[in-house]
Amino acid sequence: MGAGFEVAYPTPEGFKKIDRLMFRAWKLDHDGTYEYSGHSFFSRYIQQDLYLSRFNPEEKTYLIKSPVGISAAPEPDEKIWPEWTFELFILPTGQIVEAARFHPPHRPVNDFVEYSYGQIVGWHWDKAYVDDVARKAAAYASVGGSFRVERY
């Protein structure tokens, strides 16, 4: 039984939910400049309950309670780093360029969200990383190619 907004992968023991996902959407010009194209989202679980937060321009968190299990109270103050960050760039032509970035637990990044009792109260983003990906995405898209950025 799911919460309606889940990303999971198969394991030998069954499907496992991926926690702490950040989605950001951008309008990207051919020269590599970009701006937000709407709300960005961050999803995370506290036990079985899903907390879906949207941010920029306004910050709001929605609680999707699981019909199974007992709900747990969120901490009073939290700083949460994403496990995955997904960037979605939309070019003036309507072309979509996507980038996914995995964040190993032992190497937190500059992207994080701050919560107070489960409600988003702030967020921070790795602008240098997004600048780099936007510039490369625009360059490759202008010649009709695809791109891949690998960092560890």
Side-chain angles (χ1 to χ4, degrees), residues 7-152:
V7 178
Y9 63 95
T11 71
E13 295 81 35
F15 283 95
K16 182 179 179 198
K17 295 177 189 176
I18 298 175
D19 194 14
R20 301 183 336 267
L21 302 174
M22 183 174 288
F23 299 89
R24 295 185 288 220
W26 312 93
K27 289 189 272 186
L28 176 65
D29 289 327
H30 293 291
D31 64 358
T33 58
Y34 60 93
E35 62 181 314
Y36 278 107
S37 67
H39 288 287
S40 296
F41 297 92
F42 184 76
S43 67
R44 70 179 183 126
Y45 290 95
I46 298 179
Q47 291 193 9
Q48 297 297 319
D49 294 338
L50 174 67
Y51 286 75
L52 179 61
S53 300
R54 70 176 190 197
F55 55 95
N56 197 23
E58 62 185 349
E59 299 167 353
K60 185 167 183 169
T61 299
Y62 300 92
L63 168 60
I64 298 115
K65 286 188 164 283
S66 173
V68 295
I70 298 172
S71 294
E75 297 292 324
D77 295 301
E78 297 178 285
K79 185 184 288 187
I80 309 290
W81 285 265
E83 184 173 349
W84 284 90
T85 301
F86 299 95
E87 312 290 352
L88 176 71
F89 296 97
I90 303 168
L91 281 89
T93 61
Q95 181 180 0
I96 295 176
V97 180
E98 300 165 306
R101 181 180 180 195
F102 174 68
H103 311 291
H106 62 282
R107 294 194 52 190
V109 293
N110 291 329
D111 297 300
F112 61 85
V113 292
E114 296 175 290
Y115 287 92
S116 177
Y117 295 100
Q119 293 297 309
I120 188 170
V121 293
W123 55 277
H124 186 270
W125 59 299
D126 188 345
K127 184 174 182 330
Y129 169 76
V130 177
D131 288 348
D132 186 43
V133 173
R135 188 173 45 258
K136 290 177 181 174
Y140 282 97
S142 68
V143 295
S146 61
F147 79 104
R148 181 179 180 136
V149 176
E150 292 186 27
R151 284 190 182 174
Y152 189 75

